[in-house]
């Protein structure tokens, strides 16, 4: 790639980034040779990885539409990524232009590109933050201004393909609980997560180990382990399932074959 003017100052181009690797898998152009190199190592072990990312994005779209249908107009998207086709504000505002979205990410490229595409949209904003610091995210002025958190308004908290980057089970559970406690009753959580799947466990664990070593620590979790993170929520039908099983839409059917190792769930705070 010759044009690298999109790279914000301070980014080390030699260090692969979670956000830019994901962009590469989705066919975007905000990635660098170091990202593509790391991505290829992992794909050698799990060739279906780009398909996993696609079923993840398809779940994100279906769940946001479901949530707008359930009356939600405010979205807090943690680990939102580099914008690509079908961003949350496009989906939600496509159904109801009054919908509001706060994106949060800790990757400078994701932040810079999000700012660019959100310019002029007064109902969507991006915040540079670390979702592991729930207190800081929840105290953020933009988060509060746009989502009216203090006014008891129900929101949807999105944690799409990000919680597997919090490998410690206790920390992951404590984080979900901290956000849950700040949400008004009637709020929702939509979560997707890299799966430890019995059928393909050995292969996928090897890919996760490679990713942990070369990019960032991550942990695959089973259906039971993801369910254990949802304390205090009511799980919406069809439950904690693999992404293709969550309210499938004919638009998203890829091909008849085994389920992909990506778990998803929508849950509601009573
Ligand atoms: C695999 S991408 C998922 C993007 C989007 N949520 C989706 O599902 O299409 C994970 C994103 O989470 C971000 N991320 C990882 N750890 C984070 C953290 N501790 N705080 C904020 N963002 C984080 C990465 O920078 C990346 O953009």
């Amino acid at each position: 790639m010759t044009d690298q003017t999109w790279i914000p100052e301070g980014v080390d181009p030699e260090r692969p980034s979670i956000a830019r690797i994901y962009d590469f898998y989705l066919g975007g152009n905000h990635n660098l040779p170091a990202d593509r190199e790391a991505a290829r190592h992992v794909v050698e072990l799990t060739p279906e990885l780009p398909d996993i990312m696609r079923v993840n994005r398809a779940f994100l779209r279906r769940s946001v539409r479901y949530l707008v249908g359930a009356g939600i107009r405010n979205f807090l998207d943690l680990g939102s990524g580099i914008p690509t086709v079908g961003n949350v504000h496009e989906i939600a505002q496509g159904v109801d232009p009054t919908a509001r979205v706060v994106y949060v990410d800790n990757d400078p490229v994701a932040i810079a590109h999000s700012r660019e595409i959100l310019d002029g949209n007064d109902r969507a904003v991006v915040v540079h933050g670390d979702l592991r610091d729930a207190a800081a995210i929840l105290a953020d002025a933009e988060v509060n201004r746009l989502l009216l958190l203090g006014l008891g308004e129900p929101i949807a908290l999105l944690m799409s393909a990000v919680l597997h980057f919090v490998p410690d089970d206790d920390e992951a559970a404590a984080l979900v609980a901290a956000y849950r406690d700040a949400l008004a009753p009637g709020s929702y959580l939509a979560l997707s997560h890299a799966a430890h799947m019995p059928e393909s466990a050995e292969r996928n664990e090897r890919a996760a180990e490679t990713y942990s070593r070369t990019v960032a620590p991550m942990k695959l979790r089973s259906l039971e382990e993801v369910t254990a993170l949802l304390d205090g929520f009511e799980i919406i039908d069809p439950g904690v399932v693999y992404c293709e099983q969550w309210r499938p839409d004919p638009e998203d059917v890829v091909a008849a074959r085994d389920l992909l190792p990506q778990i998803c769930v929508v849950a509601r705070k009573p």
Side-chain angles (χ1 to χ4, degrees):
M1 176 170 305
T2 47
D3 173 22
Q4 296 193 348
T5 49
W6 54 269
I7 306 171
E9 220 172 291
V11 168
D12 177 358
E14 301 305 324
R15 259 190 84 184
S17 114
I18 297 173
R20 299 193 315 257
I21 288 180
Y22 185 67
D23 176 74
F24 171 67
Y25 287 138
L26 287 175
N29 49 20
H30 290 85
N31 50 77
L32 295 168
D35 305 313
R36 298 191 281 276
E37 168 82 10
R40 284 191 194 109
H41 278 306
V42 185
V43 147
E44 271 167 25
L45 298 165
T46 306
E48 62 274 34
L49 213 50
D51 280 342
I52 297 174
M53 305 307 177
R54 279 193 280 274
V55 297
N56 179 69
R57 286 298 289 187
F59 163 71
L60 184 64
R61 194 191 65 246
R62 297 199 301 278
S63 59
V64 169
R65 282 195 191 145
Y66 170 85
L67 293 164
V68 178
I72 295 294
R73 293 295 177 268
N74 294 346
F75 292 81
L76 177 56
D77 184 359
L78 301 178
S80 47
I82 295 172
T84 183
V85 177
N87 297 298
V88 171
H89 73 284
E90 291 162 347
I91 304 163
Q93 293 176 351
V95 185
D96 182 341
T98 68
R100 292 180 281 233
V101 181
V102 176
Y103 293 110
V104 176
D105 208 287
N106 63 355
D107 184 283
V109 173
I111 297 300
H113 192 45
S114 301
R115 285 210 174 111
E116 209 176 291
I117 66 153
L118 296 177
D119 189 33
N121 188 332
D122 60 1
R123 292 178 171 268
V125 73
V126 62
V127 170
H128 192 179
D130 187 335
L131 69 90
R132 289 168 178 238
D133 191 350
I137 301 293
L138 291 165
D140 182 273
E142 289 291 7
V143 172
N144 281 279
R145 181 182 67 82
L146 214 62
L147 302 184
L148 313 171
L149 279 186
L151 300 182
E153 185 102 352
I155 73 161
L157 179 68
L158 310 178
M159 298 179 99
S160 174
V162 70
L163 212 53
H164 42 249
F165 297 119
V166 181
D168 183 87
D169 290 337
D170 292 339
E171 186 188 358
L175 270 176
V176 175
Y179 287 106
R180 179 203 62 213
D181 288 349
L183 301 181
S187 294
Y188 287 83
L189 167 68
L191 176 90
S192 67
H193 196 293
H196 173 93
M197 209 176 187
E199 305 82 76
S200 51
E202 202 185 310
R203 216 158 51 86
N204 294 332
E205 288 295 353
R206 260 190 288 132
E209 274 162 31
T210 304
Y211 195 97
S212 296
R213 210 169 356 91
T214 54
V215 187
M218 70 173 292
K219 178 172 185 189
L220 305 181
R221 291 190 171 91
S222 64
L223 292 168
E224 293 72 25
E225 287 170 318
V226 171
T227 307
L229 300 174
L230 303 173
D231 192 36
F233 284 101
E234 296 168 352
I235 296 173
I236 303 292
D237 277 349
V240 182
V241 293
Y242 295 108
C243 284
E244 300 99 305
Q245 298 172 315
W246 199 91
R247 301 179 183 240
D249 180 333
E251 203 185 307
D252 295 331
V253 172
V254 200
R257 53 141 181 248
D258 296 340
L259 289 167
L260 292 162
Q262 184 77 356
I263 291 170
C264 65
V265 57
V266 174
R268 183 177 178 276
K269 177 172 170 174

